[in-house]
């Protein structure tokens, strides 16, 4: 009998500490069923649960989910509204369960662009899960990689202007400290669903040496088995970081 994927992952031992996911394909999932796009987003909530539980089971420390990009604000208002309602519903229905599982939720992005109801949902989730020590779950909302870098440049420029920072003292660590992801290790593995081979303005700085895994499954159909398959794929990669092979 073939070993189950979780045992294989554990046997291999090199579990990615940080997994990032571009959750894509909700709209296509819905249109294939003759449903409105928002139905796909709602169905995608189940897949978020799968990813969170799967990450906990596999021993991943940080899970970073791309939920809403800077560019997604340009979608029709009705779709933006549906996504914001989904955020509120997710926070309401999941915050206790997440806290119970030891998940610490942080929402990263330009949260000030969210309306007051969505900001309250963010606060509810972050406050309820503050003590989580099993998994750190980053929900990237109103997030763009370029905007994050621009924001970081502005912050460093202000420090230089205020004479608390010398331009010569700026290095990669200094930049890292003014990103939304400050203090976290870079993603080891980035999964994108729906078969698209694009970064779409996600974690541009942090993915310099991240291993990429493109899955054809549409996000609402994503299960923990798909996560385990991606981790197993990752475990067979050789990460060289620009050096020569040590194998
Ligand atoms: C991903 O699914 C969710 C968000 C970007 C908010 P899409 O809505 O992009 O679904 P497709 O790519 O149109 O199928
Ligand atoms: C990326 O997906 C953003 C999220 C998953 C939140 P998009 O569907 O917005 O990206 P493109 O337009 O296909 O590049
Ligand atoms: Mg898409």
């Amino acid at each position: 009998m073939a070993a189950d994927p979780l045992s294989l992952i554990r046997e291999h031992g090199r579990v990615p500490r940080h997994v990032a996911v571009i959750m894509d394909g909700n709209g296509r999932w819905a249109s294939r069923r003759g449903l409105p796009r928002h139905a796909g987003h709602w169905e995608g909530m189940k897949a978020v649960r799968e990813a969170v539980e799967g990450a906990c089971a596999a021993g991943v420390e940080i899970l970073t989910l791309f939920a809403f990009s800077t560019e997604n604000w340009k979608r029709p208002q009705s779709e933006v509204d549906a996504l914001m309602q989904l955020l509120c519903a997710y926070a309401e229905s999941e915050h206790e369960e997440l806290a119970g599982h030891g998940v610490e939720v942080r929402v990263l992005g330009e949260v000030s662009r969210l309306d007051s109801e969505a900001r309250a949902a963010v606060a509810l989730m972050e406050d309820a899960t503050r003590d989580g020590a099993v998994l750190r779950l980053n929900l990237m909302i109103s997030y763009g990689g370029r905007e994050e870098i621009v924001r970081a440049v502005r912050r460093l420029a202000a420090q230089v202007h205020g004479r608390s920072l010398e331009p010569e003292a700026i290095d990669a660590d200094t930049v890292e400290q003014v990103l939304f992801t400050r203090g976290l290790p870079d993603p080891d593995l980035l999964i994108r669903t729906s078969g698209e081979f694009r970064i779409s303005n996600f974690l541009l700085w942090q993915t310099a040496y991240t291993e990429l895994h493109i899955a054809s499954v549409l996000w609402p159909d994503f299960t923990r088995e798909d996560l385990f398959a991606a981790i197993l794929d990752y475990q067979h990669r050789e990460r060289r970081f620009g050096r020569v092979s040590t194998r």
Side-chain angles (χ1 to χ4, degrees):
M1 198 179 77
D4 75 286
L6 259 187
S7 321
L8 288 173
I9 287 170
R10 294 215 185 92
E11 215 170 280
H12 195 282
R14 202 171 54 112
V15 177
R17 283 185 71 193
H18 184 174
V19 176
V21 186
I22 301 177
M23 310 186 287
D24 199 16
N26 297 352
R28 276 163 283 171
W29 184 93
S31 40
R32 279 178 200 175
R33 287 164 177 75
L35 297 169
R37 290 178 59 83
H38 64 78
H41 298 315
W42 281 88
E43 194 68 19
M45 196 149 78
K46 285 188 200 153
V48 171
R49 213 169 286 139
E50 283 287 313
V52 169
E53 290 174 13
C56 290
V60 169
E61 291 170 42
I62 305 153
L63 179 67
T64 299
L65 302 179
F66 201 8
F68 190 85
S69 73
T70 306
E71 290 74 23
N72 290 154
W73 285 114
K74 296 178 198 148
R75 290 189 179 193
Q77 191 58 43
S78 57
E79 183 167 346
V80 172
D81 290 345
L83 286 161
M84 292 301 144
Q85 280 164 18
L86 179 63
L87 169 65
C88 296
Y90 180 77
E92 190 59 51
S93 71
E94 307 288 305
H95 70 279
E96 282 173 358
E97 176 113 359
L98 289 164
H101 280 102
V103 178
E104 179 194 10
V105 182
R106 295 292 301 276
V107 175
L108 306 182
E110 291 299 342
V111 175
S112 61
R113 287 187 73 178
L114 304 182
D115 66 21
S116 57
E117 218 178 311
R119 284 205 308 273
V122 169
L124 170 70
M125 226 166 6
E126 290 189 336
D127 291 345
T129 63
R130 209 165 284 284
D131 299 327
V134 175
L135 177 77
R136 158 85 177 250
L137 173 63
N138 297 314
L139 294 180
M140 310 305 277
I141 295 177
S142 189
Y143 171 84
R146 285 188 171 175
E147 289 68 23
E148 177 181 44
I149 292 169
V150 168
R151 179 178 170 273
V153 169
R154 280 210 194 111
R155 288 183 173 208
L156 296 180
Q159 289 176 29
V160 170
H161 187 66
R163 299 195 183 278
S164 60
L165 180 67
E166 291 292 329
E168 297 72 27
I170 298 174
D171 59 14
D173 290 336
T174 327
V175 175
E176 194 275 324
Q177 281 162 29
V178 284
L179 298 176
F180 287 120
T181 53
R182 68 181 157 273
L184 300 177
D186 289 339
D188 301 293
L189 169 64
L190 169 63
I191 302 168
R192 182 166 186 154
T193 58
S194 85
E196 304 283 2
F197 287 72
R198 275 196 296 286
I199 293 288
S200 299
N201 202 14
F202 193 38
L203 301 174
L204 296 180
W205 173 277
Q206 298 88 338
T207 52
Y209 271 103
T210 299
E211 296 294 330
L212 309 180
H213 175 93
I214 309 296
S216 56
V217 62
L218 301 176
W219 179 251
D221 292 328
F222 187 88
T223 65
R224 67 195 72 198
E225 303 302 326
D226 295 304
L227 176 70
F228 299 156
I231 293 175
L232 283 166
D233 176 28
Y234 165 86
Q235 288 181 320
H236 292 94
R237 305 279 181 90
E238 186 194 10
R239 304 187 74 187
R240 288 190 290 276
F241 298 98
R243 299 169 196 224
V244 293
S245 178
T246 51
R247 279 185 184 171

